């Protein structure tokens, strides 16, 4: 049963702390996306990678957010330092662009920064 | 700025009725169109994709695309209470990230 996995599922942290979220894309998918969802803004694209290379990170606050893909089975999103306004659900999605453009989402990480 | 617009709802329909969800998009060169269903507290789940003008049917779901009018719709026939969720319309150009609408909340009453 191929699916995107994300860890942790929930994270509560204090302002100023570092947060790292991890994503394992579906095996064979070559494109990984990071989204953030809030009630006010809906789903927003933060960054995405194709074949592990970053293609677009214009949605990320550059001073505090960073995204990497150290290998084909792992994508990470880091926030340092975290702020209360970063509280949201962070989703990872993967796709095999080239055969279709369908993206499949992981279960998300619910982040609360106090 | 590329935009995808949806009526936020809630759209309320009785069980067994047809639910019609609509979406418009601003970027004329958009090529791929998707409908996602999101239950409260869960992640978006892909339910339909459509790439060319016309209708595409899958079970109780029909997606309709009109590129000239920049309009995508989703029809749900024989609506069930389990269809109650938020439906997200998403659009992209080939090979780029999806742009999502803010979603329409559907409520099906039994």
């Amino acid at each position: 049963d191929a699916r995107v996995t994300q860890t942790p599922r929930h994270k509560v942290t204090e302002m100023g702390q570092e947060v790292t979220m991890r994503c394992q894309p579906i095996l064979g998918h070559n494109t990984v996306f990071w989204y953030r969802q809030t009630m006010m803004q809906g789903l927003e694209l933060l960054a995405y990678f194709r074949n592990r290379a970053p293609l677009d990170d214009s949605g990320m606050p550059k001073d505090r957010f960073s995204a990497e893909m150290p290998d084909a089975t792992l994508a990470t999103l880091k926030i340092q330092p975290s702020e209360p306004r970063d509280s949201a659900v962070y989703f990872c999605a993967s796709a095999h662009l080239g055969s279709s453009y369908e993206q499949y989402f992981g279960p998300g990480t619910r982040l609360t920064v106090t | 700025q590329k935009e995808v617009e949806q009526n936020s709802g809630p759209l309320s329909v009785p069980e067994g009725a047809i639910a019609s969800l609509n979406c418009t998009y601003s970027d004329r060169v958009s090529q791929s169109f998707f409908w996602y269903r999101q239950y409260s507290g869960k992640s978006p789940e892909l339910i339909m994709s459509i790439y060319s003008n016309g209708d595409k049917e899958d079970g109780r779901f029909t997606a309709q695309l009109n590129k000239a009018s920049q309009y995508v719709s989703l029809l749900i026939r024989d609506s069930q209470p389990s269809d109650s969720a938020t439906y997200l319309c998403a659009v992209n150009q080939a090979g780029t990230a999806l742009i999502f609408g803010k979603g329409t909340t559907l409520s099906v009453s039994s």
Side-chain angles (χ1 to χ4, degrees), chain A residues 16-63:
Chain A
Q17 297 299 304
E18 177 179 301
V19 175
T20 298
M21 291 170 267
R22 293 178 174 81
C23 166
Q24 181 172 7
I26 293 172
L27 188 64
H29 280 192
N30 61 1
T31 308
V32 175
F33 304 84
W34 283 105
Y35 293 92
R36 175 171 63 183
Q37 187 174 41
T38 62
M39 289 294 292
M40 292 297 295
Q41 300 297 325
L43 263 173
E44 302 174 284
L45 177 70
L46 296 175
Y48 74 103
F49 296 77
R50 180 167 307 146
N51 297 323
R52 298 176 54 202
L55 286 193
D56 185 354
D57 62 0
S58 59
M60 288 201 312
K62 298 290 192 304
D63 56 338

Side-chain angles (χ1 to χ4, degrees), chain B residues 30-73:
Chain B
S30 298
Q31 296 183 352
S32 309
F33 307 87
F34 305 90
W35 284 99
Y36 285 80
R37 177 176 62 199
Q38 187 173 25
Y39 293 113
S40 179
K42 301 295 186 182
S43 59
E45 174 193 8
L46 179 65
I47 54 172
M48 289 289 283
S49 58
I50 186 166
Y51 301 94
S52 54
N53 281 328
D55 294 0
K56 178 181 177 183
E57 186 174 318
D58 184 359
R60 295 186 295 112
F61 298 100
T62 299
Q64 300 174 316
L65 174 61
N66 183 326
K67 289 186 178 181
S69 300
Q70 296 176 235
Y71 178 88
V72 193
S73 66

Side-chain angles (χ1 to χ4, degrees), chain B:
Chain B
Q1 176 146 352
K2 301 171 189 175
E3 292 183 342
V4 176
E5 299 287 343
Q6 295 181 256
N7 187 324
S8 62
L11 174 65
S12 297
V13 300
E15 184 175 357
I18 295 175
S20 178
L21 303 154
N22 304 314
C23 169
T24 59
Y25 58 94
S26 63
D27 190 352
R28 283 195 169 273
V29 300
S30 298
Q31 296 183 352
S32 309
F33 307 87
F34 305 90
W35 284 99
Y36 285 80
R37 177 176 62 199
Q38 187 173 25
Y39 293 113
S40 179
K42 301 295 186 182
S43 59
E45 174 193 8
L46 179 65
I47 54 172
M48 289 289 283
S49 58
I50 186 166
Y51 301 94
S52 54
N53 281 328
D55 294 0
K56 178 181 177 183
E57 186 174 318
D58 184 359
R60 295 186 295 112
F61 298 100
T62 299
Q64 300 174 316
L65 174 61
N66 183 326
K67 289 186 178 181
S69 300
Q70 296 176 235
Y71 178 88
V72 193
S73 66
L74 179 70
L75 300 178
I76 306 174
R77 290 181 299 281
D78 188 23
S79 295
Q80 301 296 309
S82 59
D83 295 325
S84 299
T86 297
Y87 289 81
L88 302 167
C89 173
V91 170
N92 78 343
Q93 301 175 37
T96 66
L98 294 178
I99 300 171
F100 283 85
K102 287 190 163 50
T104 298
T105 299
L106 172 66
S107 176
V108 181
S109 56
S110 56

